[in-house]
Amino acid sequence: MTAATRQEQLAGIFKSATVIPVLTIERLEDAVPLARALVAGGVRVLEVTLRTPVAADAAKAMIAEVPEAVIGIGTILNGDDLARARAIGARFGISPGSTPELLKAAAASDLPFAPGIATASELMQALAAGFDLVKFFPAEQAGGIKALRALAGPFPHIEVCPTGGIGEANAAAWLAEPNVVAVGGSWLCPAADIRSGNWAGITAMCARTMKSLKPA
Ligand code: 3PG
């Protein structure tokens, strides 16, 4: 797969998503009901973060049992994590940052991948490695929409998925920015709802969010 094709695939996945929940799964048995709850609410593109011991198995279970979901792996910190994501069968990978080692590994891999950037220098490194769709993280804390607009001055062609501090109150404002292809965040899956198995509540919040952000 060429780098251009890989990037096009990633852009297609993100644009179809509008919203990408950032999932931290503590118990393996939550993985499949959580994915089903999100899909039932119209949220199909999911980022399973490598932040817990069960994360990889959770992603595998979702891929096997919820085929309507498009599962990506988040919190990819190095080449080994990237290789794990690929081996699991993830459709894409996301990182909070962009180290030279990770960018090199991602450029050599055919896994669609979005590195994380918060500064012009990090963005320049990502662009030099061939990645023009990036995660802007932590979006609100790093300056919010004003910071994104400032970055778009010298880099007008970038495409961005902001995450960090995004929720129901500000998601629409971010999505209205011309270079924002999707927004990500943990707000659609509160830890308390996952812990208590409030799948219906998660479905309802997703449905409400998708209705307001992406009217039919
Ligand atoms: C991420 O990795 O994208 C963040 O943890 C999501 O940030 P949020 O919890 O503020 O939504």
Side-chain angles (χ1 to χ4, degrees), residues 22 47 49 51 75 135 137 141 163-166 184-187:
V22 175
E47 175 188 340
T49 61
R51 294 181 198 175
T75 318
K135 162 165 165 150
F137 175 80
Q141 297 86 342
T163 81
I166 297 180
S186 58
W187 88 95

PDB file of all heavy atoms in Angstrom, residues 22 47 49 51 75 135 137 141 163-166 184-187, ligand 1:
ATOM      1  N   VAL A  22     -12.893   7.808  22.689  1.00  0.00           N
ATOM      2  CA  VAL A  22     -11.601   7.324  23.184  1.00  0.00           C
ATOM      3  C   VAL A  22     -11.905   6.401  24.360  1.00  0.00           C
ATOM      4  O   VAL A  22     -12.393   6.853  25.398  1.00  0.00           O
ATOM      5  CB  VAL A  22     -10.728   8.519  23.622  1.00  0.00           C
ATOM      6  CG1 VAL A  22      -9.431   8.039  24.255  1.00  0.00           C
ATOM      7  CG2 VAL A  22     -10.434   9.437  22.427  1.00  0.00           C
ATOM      8  N   GLU A  47     -11.878   4.145  19.149  1.00  0.00           N
ATOM      9  CA  GLU A  47     -10.449   4.089  19.490  1.00  0.00           C
ATOM     10  C   GLU A  47     -10.294   3.382  20.825  1.00  0.00           C
ATOM     11  O   GLU A  47     -10.702   3.900  21.866  1.00  0.00           O
ATOM     12  CB  GLU A  47      -9.879   5.517  19.575  1.00  0.00           C
ATOM     13  CG  GLU A  47      -8.437   5.548  20.055  1.00  0.00           C
ATOM     14  CD  GLU A  47      -7.904   6.963  20.332  1.00  0.00           C
ATOM     15  OE1 GLU A  47      -8.465   7.952  19.823  1.00  0.00           O
ATOM     16  OE2 GLU A  47      -6.911   7.054  21.079  1.00  0.00           O
ATOM     17  N   THR A  49      -7.867   2.456  23.607  1.00  0.00           N
ATOM     18  CA  THR A  49      -6.527   2.896  24.015  1.00  0.00           C
ATOM     19  C   THR A  49      -5.764   1.761  24.694  1.00  0.00           C
ATOM     20  O   THR A  49      -6.340   0.964  25.438  1.00  0.00           O
ATOM     21  CB  THR A  49      -6.618   4.089  24.989  1.00  0.00           C
ATOM     22  OG1 THR A  49      -7.332   3.682  26.166  1.00  0.00           O
ATOM     23  CG2 THR A  49      -7.320   5.263  24.353  1.00  0.00           C
ATOM     24  N   ARG A  51      -4.217   1.488  27.312  1.00  0.00           N
ATOM     25  CA  ARG A  51      -3.917   2.047  28.637  1.00  0.00           C
ATOM     26  C   ARG A  51      -4.188   1.068  29.762  1.00  0.00           C
ATOM     27  O   ARG A  51      -3.996   1.399  30.926  1.00  0.00           O
ATOM     28  CB  ARG A  51      -4.760   3.310  28.883  1.00  0.00           C
ATOM     29  CG  ARG A  51      -4.382   4.434  27.964  1.00  0.00           C
ATOM     30  CD  ARG A  51      -5.177   5.694  28.217  1.00  0.00           C
ATOM     31  NE  ARG A  51      -5.060   6.546  27.049  1.00  0.00           N
ATOM     32  CZ  ARG A  51      -5.704   7.688  26.870  1.00  0.00           C
ATOM     33  NH1 ARG A  51      -6.516   8.125  27.805  1.00  0.00           N
ATOM     34  NH2 ARG A  51      -5.537   8.378  25.774  1.00  0.00           N
ATOM     35  N   THR A  75      -3.334   5.525  21.928  1.00  0.00           N
ATOM     36  CA  THR A  75      -2.211   5.540  22.882  1.00  0.00           C
ATOM     37  C   THR A  75      -1.067   4.659  22.385  1.00  0.00           C
ATOM     38  O   THR A  75      -0.441   3.907  23.140  1.00  0.00           O
ATOM     39  CB  THR A  75      -2.648   5.161  24.319  1.00  0.00           C
ATOM     40  OG1 THR A  75      -3.898   5.803  24.622  1.00  0.00           O
ATOM     41  CG2 THR A  75      -1.642   5.662  25.353  1.00  0.00           C
ATOM     42  N   LYS A 135      -3.603  14.004  14.975  1.00  0.00           N
ATOM     43  CA  LYS A 135      -4.417  14.240  16.167  1.00  0.00           C
ATOM     44  C   LYS A 135      -3.852  15.497  16.833  1.00  0.00           C
ATOM     45  O   LYS A 135      -2.641  15.585  17.044  1.00  0.00           O
ATOM     46  CB  LYS A 135      -4.272  13.019  17.080  1.00  0.00           C
ATOM     47  CG  LYS A 135      -4.669  13.223  18.536  1.00  0.00           C
ATOM     48  CD  LYS A 135      -4.819  11.872  19.211  1.00  0.00           C
ATOM     49  CE  LYS A 135      -4.861  12.006  20.733  1.00  0.00           C
ATOM     50  NZ  LYS A 135      -5.656  10.963  21.378  1.00  0.00           N
ATOM     51  N   PHE A 137      -3.519  17.213  20.089  1.00  0.00           N
ATOM     52  CA  PHE A 137      -3.699  16.775  21.480  1.00  0.00           C
ATOM     53  C   PHE A 137      -2.688  17.453  22.393  1.00  0.00           C
ATOM     54  O   PHE A 137      -1.516  17.514  22.053  1.00  0.00           O
ATOM     55  CB  PHE A 137      -3.540  15.256  21.575  1.00  0.00           C
ATOM     56  CG  PHE A 137      -3.595  14.756  23.000  1.00  0.00           C
ATOM     57  CD1 PHE A 137      -4.809  14.580  23.643  1.00  0.00           C
ATOM     58  CD2 PHE A 137      -2.424  14.473  23.699  1.00  0.00           C
ATOM     59  CE1 PHE A 137      -4.863  14.133  24.966  1.00  0.00           C
ATOM     60  CE2 PHE A 137      -2.474  14.033  25.015  1.00  0.00           C
ATOM     61  CZ  PHE A 137      -3.689  13.861  25.647  1.00  0.00           C
ATOM     62  N   GLN A 141      -6.511  22.166  25.999  1.00  0.00           N
ATOM     63  CA  GLN A 141      -5.446  22.605  26.905  1.00  0.00           C
ATOM     64  C   GLN A 141      -4.288  23.253  26.136  1.00  0.00           C
ATOM     65  O   GLN A 141      -3.566  24.086  26.676  1.00  0.00           O
ATOM     66  CB  GLN A 141      -4.935  21.408  27.716  1.00  0.00           C
ATOM     67  CG  GLN A 141      -5.973  20.761  28.627  1.00  0.00           C
ATOM     68  CD  GLN A 141      -6.846  19.699  27.930  1.00  0.00           C
ATOM     69  OE1 GLN A 141      -6.936  19.641  26.702  1.00  0.00           O
ATOM     70  NE2 GLN A 141      -7.503  18.883  28.731  1.00  0.00           N
ATOM     71  N   THR A 163      -8.485  16.082  20.080  1.00  0.00           N
ATOM     72  CA  THR A 163      -9.006  15.402  21.267  1.00  0.00           C
ATOM     73  C   THR A 163      -8.348  16.029  22.493  1.00  0.00           C
ATOM     74  O   THR A 163      -7.278  16.612  22.413  1.00  0.00           O
ATOM     75  CB  THR A 163      -8.723  13.880  21.300  1.00  0.00           C
ATOM     76  OG1 THR A 163      -7.399  13.659  21.766  1.00  0.00           O
ATOM     77  CG2 THR A 163      -8.897  13.209  19.968  1.00  0.00           C
ATOM     78  N   GLY A 164      -9.016  15.863  23.635  1.00  0.00           N
ATOM     79  CA  GLY A 164      -8.538  16.469  24.877  1.00  0.00           C
ATOM     80  C   GLY A 164      -9.425  17.646  25.220  1.00  0.00           C
ATOM     81  O   GLY A 164      -9.360  18.701  24.580  1.00  0.00           O
ATOM     82  N   GLY A 165     -10.310  17.445  26.183  1.00  0.00           N
ATOM     83  CA  GLY A 165     -11.187  18.537  26.608  1.00  0.00           C
ATOM     84  C   GLY A 165     -12.392  18.766  25.710  1.00  0.00           C
ATOM     85  O   GLY A 165     -13.074  19.784  25.837  1.00  0.00           O
ATOM     86  N   ILE A 166     -12.670  17.815  24.811  1.00  0.00           N
ATOM     87  CA  ILE A 166     -13.836  17.996  23.930  1.00  0.00           C
ATOM     88  C   ILE A 166     -15.026  17.227  24.507  1.00  0.00           C
ATOM     89  O   ILE A 166     -14.870  16.141  25.053  1.00  0.00           O
ATOM     90  CB  ILE A 166     -13.494  17.551  22.493  1.00  0.00           C
ATOM     91  CG1 ILE A 166     -12.380  18.492  21.988  1.00  0.00           C
ATOM     92  CG2 ILE A 166     -14.727  17.608  21.584  1.00  0.00           C
ATOM     93  CD1 ILE A 166     -11.910  18.236  20.622  1.00  0.00           C
ATOM     94  N   GLY A 184     -12.461  13.681  18.772  1.00  0.00           N
ATOM     95  CA  GLY A 184     -12.363  12.505  19.630  1.00  0.00           C
ATOM     96  C   GLY A 184     -12.492  12.892  21.087  1.00  0.00           C
ATOM     97  O   GLY A 184     -12.280  14.055  21.450  1.00  0.00           O
ATOM     98  N   GLY A 185     -12.845  11.912  21.912  1.00  0.00           N
ATOM     99  CA  GLY A 185     -12.897  12.209  23.338  1.00  0.00           C
ATOM    100  C   GLY A 185     -13.533  11.087  24.128  1.00  0.00           C
ATOM    101  O   GLY A 185     -14.140  10.172  23.565  1.00  0.00           O
ATOM    102  N   SER A 186     -13.376  11.198  25.428  1.00  0.00           N
ATOM    103  CA  SER A 186     -13.861  10.138  26.310  1.00  0.00           C
ATOM    104  C   SER A 186     -15.271  10.411  26.824  1.00  0.00           C
ATOM    105  O   SER A 186     -15.833   9.575  27.519  1.00  0.00           O
ATOM    106  CB  SER A 186     -12.892   9.985  27.496  1.00  0.00           C
ATOM    107  OG  SER A 186     -12.784  11.210  28.190  1.00  0.00           O
ATOM    108  N   TRP A 187     -15.839  11.576  26.450  1.00  0.00           N
ATOM    109  CA  TRP A 187     -17.102  11.954  27.092  1.00  0.00           C
ATOM    110  C   TRP A 187     -18.276  11.038  26.755  1.00  0.00           C
ATOM    111  O   TRP A 187     -19.228  10.943  27.532  1.00  0.00           O
ATOM    112  CB  TRP A 187     -17.433  13.421  26.781  1.00  0.00           C
ATOM    113  CG  TRP A 187     -18.219  13.678  25.529  1.00  0.00           C
ATOM    114  CD1 TRP A 187     -19.569  13.822  25.436  1.00  0.00           C
ATOM    115  CD2 TRP A 187     -17.708  13.822  24.192  1.00  0.00           C
ATOM    116  NE1 TRP A 187     -19.920  14.054  24.123  1.00  0.00           N
ATOM    117  CE2 TRP A 187     -18.810  14.064  23.345  1.00  0.00           C
ATOM    118  CE3 TRP A 187     -16.429  13.777  23.620  1.00  0.00           C
ATOM    119  CZ2 TRP A 187     -18.665  14.257  21.963  1.00  0.00           C
ATOM    120  CZ3 TRP A 187     -16.280  13.970  22.248  1.00  0.00           C
ATOM    121  CH2 TRP A 187     -17.384  14.197  21.446  1.00  0.00           C
TER     122      TRP A 187
HETATM  123  C1  3PG B   1      -7.136  11.218  24.342  1.00  0.00           C
HETATM  124  O1  3PG B   1      -6.281  10.352  24.470  1.00  0.00           O
HETATM  125  O2  3PG B   1      -7.498  11.581  23.229  1.00  0.00           O
HETATM  126  C2  3PG B   1      -7.693  11.855  25.549  1.00  0.00           C
HETATM  127  O3  3PG B   1      -7.490  11.107  26.683  1.00  0.00           O
HETATM  128  C3  3PG B   1      -9.121  12.235  25.407  1.00  0.00           C
HETATM  129  O4  3PG B   1      -9.278  13.357  26.153  1.00  0.00           O
HETATM  130  P1  3PG B   1     -10.601  13.609  27.009  1.00  0.00           P
HETATM  131  O5  3PG B   1     -10.585  12.555  28.095  1.00  0.00           O
HETATM  132  O6  3PG B   1     -10.425  15.012  27.552  1.00  0.00           O
HETATM  133  O7  3PG B   1     -11.770  13.470  26.100  1.00  0.00           O
END
